[in-house]
Amino acid sequence: MARIVILTGAGISAESGIRTFRAVDGLWEEHRVEDVATPEGFAADPGLVHRFYNARRRQLLSAEVQPNAAHRALARLEAALPGEVFVVTQNIDDLHERAGSTNVHHMHGRLLTSWCRACDARVPTMGDVGVDSVCPQCGVRGSLRPDVVWFGEIPYGMDVIERELRDCRIFAAIGTSGNVYPAAGFVQFATAMGAHTVELNLEASLTHSLFREVRQGPATVVVPEWVDDILADV
Ligand code: APR
């Protein structure tokens, strides 16, 4: 069981060139969240939703987007403490894995897989998907949807996350605004289970007062420093 549980959000990937969700204009990459990140939005206009995630996927796979020093620091922590580090990310990018983390749980799904509603398979997806795409597993046309947990849907693997939080010694939240539950409630659960809690964020999150320790700054600065401090302590 992991002794250090790390929740990450959009802020850890911001310095890799991926925009966070809650910009001042309330839009996500020029779209209303209800249109592109809800089951109702997908039912109303699946073509638009596919195009939206195709654009996100192309950006993720472009040469400009690479893991940054914060992703790499978490991989270094896992390598130094094998079996003791569990990353639960709200991000749908694969930057933790590319940096070398292996124990990563994508609670809001992944951009590089699609979900077939006909056969329930998760299929690797590196290219564009559309309303006419065929599932490579079952051959059904038009059955693929983004493998992304939308508003109103239940995050993946809550049982696994709860088990990890129950036993952790340290709980860290990195680059997340504390707006979206259940992730925003993990700090309270970890506290109740006796963990030390730390927030690492550019600015105070909505839930910062629930953390024992707060470290403010860009993830590429504060995360490597925090990892150095943890490793100096063991
Ligand atoms: N370093 C550290 N933190 C940063 C940086 C940075 N370079 N840049 C931005 N941040 C912080 C912001 O201050 C903000 O608190 O990251 C946080 C990002 O918040 P959100 O955009 O709300 O992202 P997140 O918390 O991951 O959103 C949660 O909401 O839309 C849904 O499902 C989607 O997973 C997402 C969920």
Side-chain angles (χ1 to χ4, degrees), residues 115-121 135 137-145:
W115 177 20
C116 175
R117 285 169 305 154
C119 71
D120 205 33
C135 171
Q137 286 284 318
C138 68
V140 170
R141 184 176 296 278
S143 60
L144 295 178
R145 62 160 270 183

Side-chain angles (χ1 to χ4, degrees), residues 9-11 14-15 20-22 90 108 151 175-177 180 201-203 217-219:
E15 291 163 86
T20 59
F21 299 99
R22 288 170 183 79
Q90 298 167 91
H108 290 168
F151 287 96
T176 179
S177 61
V180 173
N201 211 53
L202 192 57
E203 60 205 7

Side-chain angles (χ1 to χ4, degrees), residues 81-173:
L81 302 171
E84 297 212 14
V85 178
F86 177 72
V87 173
V88 48
T89 186
Q90 298 167 91
N91 298 342
I92 58 177
D93 66 54
D94 66 339
L95 296 178
H96 284 303
E97 289 89 343
R98 280 201 240 164
S101 288
T102 60
N103 201 15
V104 182
H105 176 76
H106 285 266
M107 65 180 292
H108 290 168
R110 291 185 293 158
L111 204 42
L112 300 184
T113 50
S114 297
W115 177 20
C116 175
R117 285 169 305 154
C119 71
D120 205 33
R122 260 72 185 188
V123 295
T125 305
M126 304 301 272
D128 287 355
V129 180
V131 290
D132 290 330
S133 295
V134 172
C135 171
Q137 286 284 318
C138 68
V140 170
R141 184 176 296 278
S143 60
L144 295 178
R145 62 160 270 183
D147 189 15
V148 170
V149 176
W150 288 322
F151 287 96
E153 297 183 323
I154 298 169
Y156 295 154
M158 286 306 296
D159 50 342
V160 175
I161 299 169
E162 188 185 316
R163 214 166 46 232
E164 296 289 353
L165 284 172
R166 197 173 282 285
D167 288 326
C168 74
R169 186 170 55 85
I170 298 172
F171 171 73

Side-chain angles (χ1 to χ4, degrees), residues 10 12-20 29 54-69 71-72 91-99 111-112 126:
I12 197 167
S13 296
E15 291 163 86
S16 293
I18 299 180
R19 260 206 263 168
T20 59
E29 301 276 358
N54 289 342
R56 307 277 75 71
R57 190 179 304 108
R58 285 183 191 186
Q59 183 200 22
L60 176 60
L61 296 176
S62 69
E64 297 83 68
V65 173
Q66 298 294 338
N68 65 46
H71 299 105
R72 287 196 297 274
N91 298 342
I92 58 177
D93 66 54
D94 66 339
L95 296 178
H96 284 303
E97 289 89 343
R98 280 201 240 164
L111 204 42
L112 300 184
M126 304 301 272

Side-chain angles (χ1 to χ4, degrees), residues 178-213:
N179 271 286
V180 173
Y181 284 81
F186 292 172
V187 59
Q188 281 159 305
F189 187 72
T191 302
M193 295 296 120
H196 176 75
T197 58
V198 52
E199 168 171 290
L200 301 102
N201 211 53
L202 192 57
E203 60 205 7
S205 77
L206 276 186
T207 50
H208 75 277
S209 61
L210 301 173
F211 288 82
R212 178 96 63 88
E213 184 187 349

